[in-house]
Amino acid sequence: MSGVKTLTISEDEGEQRLDKWFKRRFPQVTQGAVEKMCRTGQVRVDGARAKASDRVIPGQTVRVPPLPDSPAPSRSAEGRISAADAKMIQDAVLWKDEHLIVLNKPPGLPSQGGSGQGERHVDALSEALKFGYKDKPKLVHRLDKDTSGVLMLARTDRVARALSEALRHRNARKIYWAIVAGVPHPRQGSIKYGLMKAPGRGRGGEGEKMICVHPAKMADYPDAKRAHTDFFTLWFLGARMSWMALEPVTGRTHQLRAHMAELGHPILGDGKYGGSEQENIGDGWGSAIGGDLSKKLHLHARRLTIEHPITKVEMTFTAPLPDHMARTWKLLDWKEDDVPADPFEVFK
């Protein structure tokens, strides 16, 4: 990469260490090189010197000095992708043209590498998604490891920049499907609790768990970021559980999971936010049903609408439910076509 560039941390990149952000954007640069560039002031955040361990947040700008070009992937690197994994990731393709690729990401597969994630993730497996191009496609947003559904990759740097801009300026609409405990009242509305990272790290702390902050108390918590989720109850089973459509207006870490838990209706299978207690009596889903449901997270990025970065045509991508959620829908006799694809538009 020639010349100095100034890049902006996108909403979808969330809050993370500077060195982690840097290495995800520029995997050819070593950890030692990142630390040296920080020590010598070549890398700056919002114009100020920064340490590799400093945390960056969406909206901040990072000065990036000239870097070596990404090396061509070696034969051995490509060889690490098994034939089964290559077929799996290729079978996940929902849409492909010369500019972008859209996947239905399987649950349990991380979007990117990181602490404890190993080398099997979408970013690594995208070597199998070149389809004749020299470089592998680039992730422009992420889904949590256990969340399935629509995930976009750009096939060129130009398209990656355009898609990142569209996501950052909220020129895209995402609708998720989820099953939650109980039935929200009212059945339709908005959640505007701010979000901040819980203290503690590792197995002894909360890790990446997010804490909700009441909108009226945001000024008391400088680390809290504003967050906004719209929700719509599509179907419900007595008082035990509900099929929800969730639209994240902002894109904070764990936003949908934390917001639904704050309402008292955690997502089924979400151990981090209280949705794994399937034997609840009363407001939960109840032992008579909970014992037969998959304990995997029931959160799926169902639909994404965005303007194509080159043709400027508005496109909508819809991802079929993963196997464990499809089994739950079958058990409950819920049909995907029985509800509006975009309830927020239909019932405005």
Side-chain angles (χ1 to χ4, degrees):
M1 186 181 87
S2 60
V4 174
K5 291 186 179 292
T6 300
L7 304 179
T8 303
I9 309 294
S10 70
E11 293 284 350
D12 290 295
E13 287 175 313
E15 180 182 344
Q16 57 184 305
R17 282 173 54 121
L18 175 58
D19 53 359
K20 297 293 185 185
W21 173 88
F22 205 100
K23 291 174 71 177
R24 284 171 177 168
R25 284 282 192 116
F26 309 103
Q28 76 274 22
V29 179
T30 66
Q31 176 71 23
V34 174
E35 292 178 359
K36 181 178 180 180
M37 287 186 289
C38 289
R39 285 197 309 270
T40 56
Q42 297 180 70
V43 173
R44 292 175 178 259
V45 177
D46 285 346
R49 296 176 75 106
K51 298 178 181 178
S53 59
D54 287 349
R55 302 193 77 83
V56 292
I57 59 175
Q60 287 186 317
T61 59
V62 182
R63 178 193 186 275
V64 180
L67 302 173
D69 292 330
S70 300
S74 65
R75 190 177 303 274
S76 60
E78 294 188 25
R80 285 199 295 268
I81 302 177
S82 68
D85 276 346
K87 182 178 186 304
M88 177 273 294
I89 202 69
Q90 290 170 0
D91 286 348
V93 174
L94 294 172
W95 167 270
K96 171 173 65 71
D97 63 16
E98 62 267 38
H99 306 294
L100 70 153
I101 293 173
V102 181
L103 301 179
N104 182 10
K105 186 188 83 66
L109 181 67
S111 297
Q112 292 179 301
S115 178
Q117 301 292 6
E119 295 185 2
R120 188 176 182 270
H121 46 79
V122 174
D123 192 33
L125 297 182
S126 64
E127 287 284 355
L129 299 176
K130 291 180 179 179
F131 299 116
Y133 275 45
K134 178 182 176 182
D135 298 322
K136 68 178 185 178
K138 303 165 182 63
L139 283 166
V140 294
H141 64 122
R142 297 175 295 172
L143 293 175
D144 288 346
K145 175 182 175 181
D146 294 321
T147 302
S148 56
V150 180
L151 185 68
M152 290 190 300
L153 298 92
R155 303 190 74 180
T156 65
D157 289 338
R158 174 191 176 191
V159 171
R161 288 192 295 270
L163 290 174
S164 295
E165 283 293 314
L167 291 166
R168 180 161 59 250
H169 294 293
R170 302 174 190 169
N171 295 328
R173 295 194 60 223
K174 304 174 187 177
I175 295 177
Y176 289 69
W177 278 0
I179 292 182
V180 305
V183 182
H185 295 285
R187 306 274 173 80
Q188 176 184 1
S190 297
I191 310 165
K192 296 184 179 180
Y193 278 78
L195 292 169
M196 60 182 291
K197 188 168 292 186
R201 296 189 182 184
R203 295 184 179 180
E206 293 289 348
E208 294 296 313
K209 187 171 182 179
M210 306 301 287
I211 298 173
C212 287
V213 177
H214 192 281
K217 297 182 179 179
M218 288 290 289
D220 298 333
Y221 298 91
D223 292 336
K225 305 294 184 296
R226 297 196 177 276
H228 178 177
T229 299
D230 290 336
F231 66 90
F232 191 99
T233 306
L234 295 168
W235 211 263
F236 55 91
L237 184 65
R240 292 175 175 172
M241 65 179 72
S242 301
W243 171 5
M244 305 296 301
L246 306 173
E247 182 175 4
V249 179
T250 55
R252 308 301 184 192
T253 301
H254 296 177
Q255 177 176 315
L256 302 181
R257 297 162 63 185
H259 271 175
M260 292 312 299
E262 183 67 20
L263 285 191
H265 302 286
I267 296 173
L268 174 61
D270 191 352
K272 187 181 288 290
Y273 291 95
S276 62
E277 297 300 323
Q278 295 187 9
E279 305 303 319
N280 288 342
I281 297 174
D283 292 338
W285 25 77
S287 59
I289 294 175
D292 294 327
L293 297 180
S294 168
K295 292 185 170 116
K296 293 182 179 179
L297 182 69
H298 283 59
L299 179 61
H300 178 67
R302 172 67 173 180
R303 176 182 167 102
L304 184 145
T305 300
I306 193 168
E307 182 181 272
H308 192 287
I310 303 301
T311 67
K312 304 305 179 184
V313 173
E314 184 176 87
M315 304 184 73
T316 295
F317 306 102
T318 303
L321 291 171
D323 289 344
H324 74 282
M325 291 181 68
R327 289 194 298 271
T328 299
W329 260 244
K330 183 177 181 180
L331 176 67
L332 302 178
D333 197 27
W334 289 345
K335 305 292 192 301
E336 296 181 38
D337 295 335
D338 286 348
V339 299
D342 185 351
F344 303 101
E345 183 68 29
V346 171
F347 294 100
K348 278 184 178 177

